[in-house]
Amino acid sequence: MATFLCRALLAAVLAQGTSAVPPRDPLASPPGRGVRDANDARGWVALGRVYLDLLIADRVGRTRGDTVWTHIVLDSADRAFARAAAAFGLVGVSPEGDSARVLRVQVWSERALLVWERSGITRGADVWGPVPGDLRLSPVLEELGENLLRACSAHGVLLTAAAADSYAAWYMRYVRGLRPDLLVVPLAVWRSDPAFRVRAAADLRLGPGGRGGGATWLAALVERRPACISMAFERPPDGGARLRWTARPLVWVAARHSGDDRVPPRDFVFAALRMALDNHDPWARSALALYARAARATPALCEALTTFKIAHEISECRG
């Protein structure tokens, strides 16, 4: 049903003159339809979103060997968002342009997860790359990604929640090369993509308990590596009675053995967030919401937030 709806959306976009997804079957829309105005940035974004919707709808039923069409859709989405970003202008000039760049990072994140699913963790960027040199995020998301990576325990798995934290952390880890000891996985992918889950469980040696979509996989993961949960979530997911979550700045952590590798709250940086709030960056509020939840869980974080003139934006830091 989801795939049908996505194809209906695709047909609507085509009716407005935006180019098509390569067909998967004879019922799909024909290729070769061009965007009427090559500088129609919003049209390119709309088309790119259609590709992403098709990809996400296809994820649940995809088998490990059924990826040719998926790669075509990823390539098409990447071109659409790249055209949109170029039409909107340089980084920071347009909120819509910066959002198009985030969506392009999502495409490359999906490409990386597909490589992991097919070839394993160790193949990495040598298989899904080379990453385009113009793949960029706005400074507030780069800062968010760096902060999340710094917060996670050594050799851990960082599980992310939404667009802002997922693609910020993925970009800083796999494009900028920070914290090579960590893995970054959107929790929704682990839950929704059975082929990815089976491969990840095998690569991480989670055993039979790690292959299912229920709570047992998280307990199995913590037996092997620390689990770091982004505070973009309201609370850490239920992993069973055996798990105990500890709040650290920006993340909750569950680990078989507690370590002393936590970063002091005063060492986190929020300079880009201050600028983003002043400039009404559309991603600033997503970052601020995560930091506010982190301040509630770790009040000592307010000191650093005060240093960068963010504390007055967060009620828990104003008292």
Side-chain angles (χ1 to χ4, degrees), residues 192-226:
S192 67
D193 188 336
F196 172 81
R197 187 165 59 244
V198 168
R199 182 64 194 232
D203 286 354
L204 295 171
R205 300 179 183 178
L206 303 188
R211 298 173 190 165
T216 57
W217 70 269
L218 190 52
L221 173 63
V222 172
E223 287 293 312
R224 303 293 304 181
R225 287 175 177 243

Coordinates of all heavy atoms in Angstrom, one line a residue, residues 192-226:
S192 N 12.9 -1.2 11.1 CA 12.0 -1.4 9.9 C 12.6 -2.2 8.8 O 11.9 -2.7 7.9 CB 11.7 0.0 9.4 OG 12.8 0.7 8.8
D193 N 13.9 -2.3 8.8 CA 14.6 -3.0 7.7 C 15.1 -4.4 8.1 O 16.2 -4.5 8.7 CB 15.8 -2.1 7.1 CG 16.4 -2.7 5.9 OD1 16.3 -3.9 5.6 OD2 17.0 -1.9 5.1
P194 N 14.4 -5.5 7.8 CA 14.8 -6.8 8.3 C 16.1 -7.2 7.8 O 16.9 -7.9 8.4 CB 13.7 -7.7 8.0 CG 12.9 -7.0 6.9 CD 13.1 -5.5 7.1
A195 N 16.4 -6.9 6.5 CA 17.7 -7.4 5.9 C 18.9 -6.7 6.5 O 19.9 -7.3 6.8 CB 17.7 -7.1 4.4
F196 N 18.7 -5.4 6.8 CA 19.8 -4.7 7.5 C 20.0 -5.2 8.9 O 21.1 -5.4 9.3 CB 19.5 -3.2 7.6 CG 20.4 -2.4 8.4 CD1 21.7 -2.0 7.9 CD2 20.1 -2.1 9.7 CE1 22.6 -1.3 8.7 CE2 21.0 -1.4 10.5 CZ 22.2 -1.0 10.0
R197 N 18.9 -5.5 9.6 CA 19.0 -6.0 11.0 C 19.7 -7.3 11.1 O 20.5 -7.5 11.9 CB 17.6 -6.1 11.5 CG 17.5 -6.4 13.0 CD 16.2 -6.1 13.6 NE 15.1 -6.9 13.0 CZ 14.1 -6.4 12.3 NH1 14.0 -5.1 12.1 NH2 13.2 -7.2 11.7
V198 N 19.4 -8.2 10.1 CA 20.1 -9.5 10.1 C 21.6 -9.3 9.9 O 22.4 -9.9 10.6 CB 19.4 -10.4 9.1 CG1 20.3 -11.7 8.9 CG2 18.0 -10.8 9.5
R199 N 21.9 -8.5 8.9 CA 23.4 -8.3 8.7 C 24.1 -7.6 9.8 O 25.2 -8.0 10.2 CB 23.5 -7.5 7.4 CG 25.0 -7.3 7.0 CD 25.6 -8.6 6.6 NE 27.1 -8.5 6.5 CZ 27.8 -8.9 5.5 NH1 27.1 -9.4 4.4 NH2 29.1 -8.9 5.5
A200 N 23.4 -6.6 10.4 CA 24.1 -5.9 11.5 C 24.2 -6.8 12.7 O 25.3 -6.7 13.4 CB 23.2 -4.7 11.9
A201 N 23.2 -7.6 13.0 CA 23.3 -8.5 14.1 C 24.5 -9.5 13.9 O 25.2 -9.9 14.8 CB 22.0 -9.3 14.3
A202 N 24.7 -10.0 12.6 CA 25.8 -10.9 12.4 C 27.1 -10.2 12.5 O 28.1 -10.7 13.1 CB 25.6 -11.4 10.9
D203 N 27.3 -8.9 11.9 CA 28.5 -8.2 12.0 C 28.9 -7.9 13.4 O 30.1 -7.8 13.8 CB 28.4 -6.9 11.2 CG 28.5 -7.2 9.7 OD1 28.7 -8.4 9.3 OD2 28.3 -6.3 8.9
L204 N 27.9 -7.5 14.3 CA 28.2 -7.2 15.6 C 28.1 -8.4 16.6 O 28.3 -8.2 17.8 CB 27.1 -6.1 16.1 CG 27.1 -4.8 15.4 CD1 25.9 -4.0 15.7 CD2 28.4 -4.0 15.7
R205 N 27.9 -9.6 16.0 CA 28.0 -10.8 16.8 C 27.0 -10.8 17.9 O 27.3 -11.1 19.1 CB 29.4 -11.1 17.3 CG 30.4 -11.2 16.2 CD 31.8 -11.4 16.7 NE 32.8 -11.5 15.7 CZ 34.1 -11.6 15.9 NH1 34.6 -11.7 17.1 NH2 34.9 -11.6 14.9
L206 N 25.7 -10.4 17.6 CA 24.7 -10.3 18.6 C 24.0 -11.6 18.9 O 23.3 -11.7 19.9 CB 23.7 -9.3 18.2 CG 24.2 -7.9 17.9 CD1 23.0 -6.9 17.7 CD2 25.1 -7.4 19.0
G207 N 24.2 -12.6 18.0 CA 23.6 -13.9 18.3 C 22.1 -13.9 17.8 O 21.6 -12.9 17.4
P208 N 21.4 -15.0 18.0 CA 20.0 -15.1 17.6 C 19.1 -14.0 18.2 O 18.2 -13.5 17.6 CB 19.5 -16.5 18.0 CG 20.8 -17.3 18.1 CD 21.9 -16.3 18.6
G209 N 19.4 -13.6 19.5 CA 18.5 -12.6 20.1 C 18.6 -11.2 19.5 O 17.8 -10.4 19.8
G210 N 19.7 -11.0 18.7 CA 19.9 -9.7 18.1 C 19.2 -9.5 16.8 O 19.3 -8.4 16.2
R211 N 18.6 -10.5 16.2 CA 18.1 -10.5 14.8 C 16.6 -10.0 14.8 O 16.2 -9.7 13.7 CB 18.2 -11.8 14.2 CG 19.7 -12.3 14.1 CD 19.8 -13.7 13.6 NE 21.2 -14.2 13.7 CZ 21.5 -15.5 13.6 NH1 20.6 -16.4 13.4 NH2 22.8 -15.8 13.7
G212 N 15.9 -10.0 15.9 CA 14.5 -9.7 15.8 C 14.3 -8.2 16.0 O 15.2 -7.4 16.3
G213 N 13.0 -7.8 15.8 CA 12.7 -6.4 15.8 C 12.2 -5.9 17.2 O 11.9 -4.8 17.4
G214 N 12.2 -6.9 18.2 CA 11.7 -6.5 19.5 C 12.8 -5.9 20.4 O 13.8 -5.4 19.9
A215 N 12.6 -6.1 21.7 CA 13.6 -5.5 22.7 C 14.8 -6.3 22.8 O 15.8 -5.7 23.3 CB 12.9 -5.3 24.0
T216 N 14.8 -7.6 22.5 CA 16.0 -8.4 22.8 C 17.3 -8.0 22.1 O 18.4 -8.2 22.6 CB 15.7 -9.9 22.5 OG1 15.3 -10.0 21.1 CG2 14.5 -10.4 23.3
W217 N 17.1 -7.4 20.9 CA 18.4 -7.0 20.2 C 19.2 -6.0 20.9 O 20.4 -6.0 20.9 CB 18.0 -6.5 18.8 CG 17.3 -5.2 18.8 CD1 16.0 -4.9 18.8 CD2 18.0 -3.9 18.7 NE1 15.7 -3.6 18.8 CE2 16.9 -2.9 18.8 CE3 19.3 -3.5 18.7 CZ2 17.2 -1.6 18.7 CZ3 19.5 -2.1 18.7 CH2 18.5 -1.2 18.7
L218 N 18.5 -5.1 21.6 CA 19.2 -4.0 22.3 C 20.0 -4.5 23.5 O 21.1 -4.2 23.7 CB 18.2 -2.9 22.8 CG 18.8 -1.6 23.3 CD1 19.8 -1.0 22.3 CD2 17.7 -0.6 23.6
A219 N 19.4 -5.5 24.2 CA 20.1 -6.1 25.3 C 21.3 -6.9 24.7 O 22.4 -6.9 25.3 CB 19.2 -7.1 26.1
A220 N 21.1 -7.5 23.6 CA 22.2 -8.3 23.0 C 23.3 -7.3 22.5 O 24.5 -7.6 22.6 CB 21.7 -9.1 21.8
L221 N 22.9 -6.2 22.0 CA 23.9 -5.2 21.6 C 24.8 -4.7 22.8 O 26.0 -4.6 22.7 CB 23.2 -4.0 21.0 CG 24.1 -2.8 20.6 CD1 25.2 -3.2 19.6 CD2 23.3 -1.6 20.1
V222 N 24.1 -4.4 23.9 CA 24.9 -3.9 25.1 C 25.8 -5.0 25.6 O 26.8 -4.6 26.2 CB 23.9 -3.5 26.1 CG1 24.6 -3.1 27.4 CG2 23.1 -2.3 25.6
E223 N 25.6 -6.2 25.4 CA 26.5 -7.3 25.7 C 27.9 -7.1 25.0 O 28.9 -7.6 25.4 CB 25.9 -8.7 25.5 CG 24.9 -9.1 26.5 CD 25.4 -9.2 27.9 OE1 26.5 -9.9 28.1 OE2 24.9 -8.6 28.9
R224 N 27.8 -6.6 23.8 CA 28.9 -6.5 22.9 C 29.6 -5.1 22.9 O 30.8 -4.9 22.8 CB 28.5 -6.8 21.5 CG 27.9 -8.2 21.3 CD 28.9 -9.3 21.6 NE 30.1 -9.3 20.7 CZ 31.1 -10.1 20.8 NH1 31.0 -11.2 21.6 NH2 32.1 -10.0 20.0
R225 N 28.7 -4.0 22.9 CA 29.2 -2.7 22.8 C 28.3 -1.7 23.6 O 27.2 -2.0 23.8 CB 29.1 -2.2 21.3 CG 30.2 -2.7 20.3 CD 29.8 -2.2 18.9 NE 30.8 -2.7 18.0 CZ 31.6 -1.9 17.3 NH1 31.6 -0.6 17.5 NH2 32.5 -2.4 16.4
P226 N 28.9 -0.6 24.1 CA 28.0 0.4 24.7 C 27.0 0.9 23.7 O 27.3 1.1 22.5 CB 29.0 1.5 25.1 CG 30.3 0.9 25.1 CD 30.3 -0.2 24.1

